[in-house]
Amino acid sequence: MTPEIGHFALALAFALALVQSVLPLVGANRGNLLWMHSARTTSIGQFILVGVAFGALMRSFIVSDFTVLNVASNSHSLKPMLYKIAGTWGSHEGSLLLWVLILTLFGAAVSLFGSNIPSSLKARTLAVQAWISVGFLSFMLFTSNPFTRVFPPPTDGNDLNPLLQDVGLALHPPFLYLGYVGFSIVFSFAVAALLEGRVDAAWARWVRPWTLAAWICLTAGIVLGSWWAYYELGWGGWWFWDPVENVSFMPWLLGTALLHSAIVTEKRDAFKSWTILLAILTFSLSLLGTFVVRSGLLTSVHAFAVDPERGLYILALLALSIGGSLALYAWRAPMMEAGGIFKPISREAGLLVNNLILTTATGTVLFGTLYPLFLEAITGDKISVGAPFFNATFVPMMLPLVLFMGVGPFLSWKRADLAGVYQRLKYVALASIIATPIVWYIQKGGPLLAHFSIMLATWLLLATLREWGIRIRLFEAPISETLRRARNLPRASHGMTMAHAGLAIAMLGMIGSSAWKSEEIVFVAPGTTIEIAGFDVTFSGVERVRGPNYLADRGTLAVSRNGQSIDTLRPERRYYPIADSTTTESAIRSTLAGDLYASISEPATENAEQSDAWTLRILYEPLVNFIWLGSSLLIIGGALSLSDRRLRVGAPKRTSASSAPSTQAEKA
């Protein structure tokens, strides 16, 4: 009965979405306050109903109800409870239901917490949000029902993909979808503003917190996925430029540009049409990612390779959403006022350069991701565009951005004094230059680009700390005054400092683990010793162990340095009988200086229990943990900025003259 309740709840949510997509919009056009306020009830109702459906599916997984096809295909009675729950969103249908749940969550959140948003703008925004809900609820009800029954039910399930049975992958999709789908509300705000014909500083203030919330979640989702790939897949890398990785990275790049562009719109009433366009394109790339992973175009551990007919449905939604919003933008954008004027040397100009670099980088990743697909569709030829292309194009493009990030916070609005900026940053520049030969000496050479990148990362870190120090008069005032200034500094300022510093620290980890990584892939028998990065690693053999739903061959590696034992590593090779699949569980000795990483794969003979020789991969990755440390600071910095009270209250008031029509409409 529970699956039927879930299915019925989805049908009711679809009906509410249809009402919400029309009634508030008509109410806003006619000035009918009651119709406009109906969006609050319907958006909250949608969220509750989709939540009921999601809860019904989750219960089916928890109790192993194998009469539900989705459960039978993606779960097993022996699977640990955490992965039974994670199985709720581990399939095409389940992940789509999570997608819609988050979509309705953001609509309900705007209804509940958007009390300072004018009624007409809120009504139009929630109506646009409902348009998206109608598209995805209809897709789920007509082509991807998560509650389809199977009779007779199987005795047991087929199990979830073993690669997805991991804590990192249990958390990765919800955060990624919160980011993906979070940009839908920003898209809805943008389309609503175009329908209303008005974008100003107040609109930008209302949009910023939702943009920031989506950006934080998307950052967390990408980082969790990267961390999972690093320790789970057994190859020791944290980014592979996989097409499905790219389709989550592109909205992040444009979302970062949008975040900075909205600041200019709020502070200086400039970049208005550009901010609207970025909001449309950011969510469009989120929809593109949804299409790519569900269309069968790609085969990836991240992808739901389903039949192409479902992909055509999403493609139609994609065309309507992107095509319709861009057509509306082309019609309305030329009517927007230009906004604030600024000089070529100013903070506005610096943020404009930031936006241009990020959008160009996004275009580069988009080209590298889609070109093989277009080529195969046109000529039938299959090619692979991987790390060499992106490293040669994307990485050099982003290095100037790091340079501008260090300078930007020192620039004034409208017009900046370069001489003053130079005086404040000259010692930062000198320290960054000095750091380069020091790293060269420590690492005994290495790629020239890596040393240049280290210099820029050091520059960004020191410049960020310098700007924060100036704000609180660090070392220039009594400690009591410095602490008072630090306490009174807006949280958004602390958040910006933490996020920029986090990016610099993450860069150090990316550079160190890529440029100076040591790797050995060897065939070992018990007693074999491998020397790597000053460590002696001795292979002691393999034992067979049993897990809840798998069998594992667990290796033992004794790690020593200069004759002294320092650690024991136990990598595993797991076999899941139900899924008939094998995974690699790496063993990692982590320090701030770097990771010693080990994984075992193929035995020398077909019978693993009788084999004494194994294929062993040993890596040493310098500074790799700086990636997770810096990424955590990015997320915390974003959350700190989001907690700034100024983003929740005190939005700029619209001028009475321009708001008069809206006021009269509401009174009508």
Side-chain angles (χ1 to χ4, degrees):
M1 188 64 183
T2 300
E4 282 69 33
I5 292 174
H7 193 197
F8 184 60
L10 284 181
L12 289 178
F14 177 64
L16 278 183
L18 285 172
V19 173
Q20 185 182 326
S21 66
V22 176
L23 192 61
L25 198 61
V26 174
N29 290 335
R30 293 185 177 181
N32 188 315
L33 197 59
L34 181 62
W35 288 9
M36 284 190 274
H37 285 175
S38 71
R40 174 185 171 92
T41 304
T42 51
S43 60
I44 294 173
Q46 264 196 82
F47 173 63
I48 292 173
L49 288 169
V50 176
V52 168
F54 189 81
L57 183 62
M58 183 177 289
R59 181 189 178 279
S60 298
F61 272 90
I62 290 173
V63 301
S64 296
D65 182 359
F66 297 121
T67 65
V68 178
L69 180 60
N70 195 6
V71 179
S73 301
N74 297 282
S75 190
H76 191 274
S77 56
L78 296 178
K79 194 165 63 172
M81 181 56 67
L82 173 63
Y83 306 131
K84 286 185 178 181
I85 295 172
T88 309
W89 54 81
S91 64
H92 164 70
E93 292 82 3
S95 66
L96 192 62
L97 182 54
L98 176 63
W99 210 103
V100 177
L101 177 66
I102 295 171
L103 185 68
T104 58
L105 168 66
F106 275 91
V110 169
S111 295
L112 293 171
F113 304 115
S115 57
N116 60 342
I117 303 173
S119 296
S120 59
L121 178 63
K122 184 194 283 189
R124 289 185 172 99
T125 299
L126 293 175
V128 175
Q129 191 78 354
W131 296 350
I132 305 169
S133 292
V134 167
F136 279 92
L137 282 168
S138 62
F139 175 54
M140 190 157 41
L141 287 169
F142 301 144
T143 74
S144 305
N145 180 11
F147 299 105
T148 300
R149 294 283 197 172
V150 56
F151 291 103
T155 306
D156 230 327
N158 293 328
D159 210 357
L160 182 67
N161 182 344
L163 284 174
L164 306 182
Q165 295 183 38
D166 181 86
V167 175
L169 254 289
L171 299 175
H172 164 65
F175 276 104
L176 199 66
Y177 285 9
L178 280 166
Y180 262 161
V181 187
F183 283 118
S184 67
I185 200 67
V186 184
F187 170 85
S188 297
F189 268 110
V191 174
L194 290 173
L195 291 171
E196 197 172 63
R198 185 150 180 218
V199 179
D200 54 17
W203 176 88
R205 173 64 68 86
W206 293 318
V207 165
R208 269 185 66 198
W210 302 103
T211 306
L212 187 56
W215 182 88
I216 293 167
C217 293
L218 186 56
T219 304
I222 291 172
V223 171
L224 281 168
S226 181
W227 177 59
W228 165 81
Y230 173 68
Y231 71 77
E232 174 68 21
L233 297 185
W235 58 286
W238 43 268
W239 192 261
F240 193 62
W241 292 108
D242 180 285
V244 185
E245 290 175 333
N246 293 348
V247 295
S248 65
F249 187 45
M250 289 185 289
W252 185 88
L253 290 171
L254 272 197
T256 305
L258 171 62
L259 200 55
H260 291 83
S261 180
I263 294 173
V264 183
T265 303
E266 178 190 337
K267 302 289 187 183
R268 296 282 300 129
D269 202 29
F271 294 11
K272 290 187 287 190
S273 63
W274 175 243
T275 302
I276 290 287
L277 180 60
L278 283 176
I280 292 172
L281 293 179
T282 301
F283 183 60
S284 297
L285 287 176
S286 296
L287 290 177
L288 178 65
T290 303
F291 166 69
V292 166
V293 301
R294 297 170 193 280
S295 61
L297 286 174
L298 298 171
T299 300
S300 164
V301 68
H302 312 79
F304 301 102
V306 297
D307 65 84
E309 291 181 5
R310 293 179 179 177
L312 289 175
Y313 196 106
I314 299 180
L315 186 60
L317 291 178
L318 194 66
L320 286 172
S321 303
I322 299 176
S325 57
L326 289 179
L328 180 62
Y329 175 80
W331 175 38
R332 289 287 200 175
M335 304 176 191
M336 296 180 191
E337 297 177 4
I341 300 173
F342 55 90
K343 294 291 184 180
I345 305 299
S346 62
R347 182 169 292 192
E348 293 97 321
L351 290 171
L352 178 60
V353 171
N354 160 294
N355 273 223
L356 291 175
I357 293 175
L358 286 170
T359 50
T360 304
T362 304
T364 302
V365 177
L366 182 64
F367 173 80
T369 303
L370 296 184
Y371 176 73
L373 301 179
F374 285 128
L375 184 67
E376 183 179 355
I378 295 170
T379 68
D381 297 332
K382 292 187 177 183
I383 67 167
S384 175
V385 176
F389 168 80
F390 293 106
N391 291 339
T393 55
F394 177 84
V395 174
M397 194 181 303
M398 297 302 289
L399 294 180
L401 178 63
V402 178
L403 180 64
F404 281 103
M405 284 179 65
V407 176
F410 291 89
L411 299 174
S412 304
W413 295 106
K414 287 186 69 174
R415 175 187 294 177
D417 177 20
L418 276 183
V421 173
Y422 169 75
Q423 287 297 321
R424 293 178 171 187
L425 286 175
K426 60 183 180 181
Y427 294 116
V428 169
L430 181 62
S432 304
I433 293 170
I434 292 173
T436 306
I438 294 175
V439 174
W440 185 285
Y441 175 78
I442 293 173
Q443 291 297 334
K444 299 177 183 178
L448 184 61
L449 182 61
H451 291 281
F452 181 68
S453 301
I454 289 284
M455 182 183 73
L456 288 177
T458 306
W459 153 265
L460 176 58
L461 179 60
L462 296 180
T464 300
L465 295 177
R466 170 68 172 149
E467 192 270 343
W468 181 74
I470 290 173
R471 281 175 175 264
I472 64 172
R473 297 191 65 194
L474 186 64
F475 306 129
E476 296 176 5
I479 187 66
S480 58
E481 173 66 9
T482 297
L483 292 175
R484 185 190 68 81
R485 284 175 168 266
R487 268 195 316 271
N488 294 336
L489 202 63
R491 290 183 183 178
S493 298
H494 287 303
M496 181 198 73
T497 299
M498 190 172 290
H500 284 195
L503 180 60
I505 292 170
M507 277 186 64
L508 293 173
M510 294 172 189
I511 298 161
S513 63
S514 300
W516 294 292
K517 174 165 56 176
S518 303
E519 182 174 8
E520 297 285 345
I521 303 176
V522 291
F523 210 49
V524 293
T528 304
T529 298
I530 303 99
E531 296 181 9
I532 183 170
F535 294 96
D536 294 317
V537 182
T538 303
F539 178 70
S540 302
V542 170
E543 62 175 332
R544 174 62 59 88
V545 296
R546 182 180 293 275
N549 61 335
Y550 63 83
L551 299 172
D553 297 309
R554 178 181 295 166
T556 301
L557 303 170
V559 182
S560 61
R561 173 179 274 174
N562 299 324
Q564 294 186 344
S565 176
I566 57 174
D567 207 345
T568 301
L569 301 180
R570 292 184 172 86
E572 293 183 3
R573 182 174 180 266
R574 293 180 179 175
Y575 173 66
Y576 292 79
I578 303 300
D580 192 23
S581 180
T582 303
T583 65
T584 299
E585 301 293 319
S586 58
I588 306 173
R589 180 182 184 269
S590 290
T591 65
L592 199 58
D595 279 3
L596 185 64
Y597 181 107
S599 63
I600 59 172
S601 53
E602 314 298 340
T605 64
E606 293 185 4
N607 190 335
E609 294 185 22
Q610 298 177 1
S611 178
D612 289 330
W614 293 76
T615 304
L616 178 67
R617 181 193 292 262
I618 299 283
L619 302 96
Y620 183 71
E621 305 214 28
L623 306 181
V624 70
N625 288 303
F626 278 55
I627 299 175
W628 324 126
L629 174 62
S631 299
S632 299
L633 289 177
L634 264 175
I635 296 165
I636 295 170
L640 197 58
S641 296
L642 186 60
S643 70
D644 194 320
R645 189 169 178 270
R646 296 176 305 168
L647 293 183
R648 300 192 303 276
V649 299
K653 298 294 183 183
R654 288 182 159 173
T655 59
S656 57
S658 58
S659 62
S662 176
T663 304
Q664 292 170 2
E666 290 191 12
K667 287 181 179 178

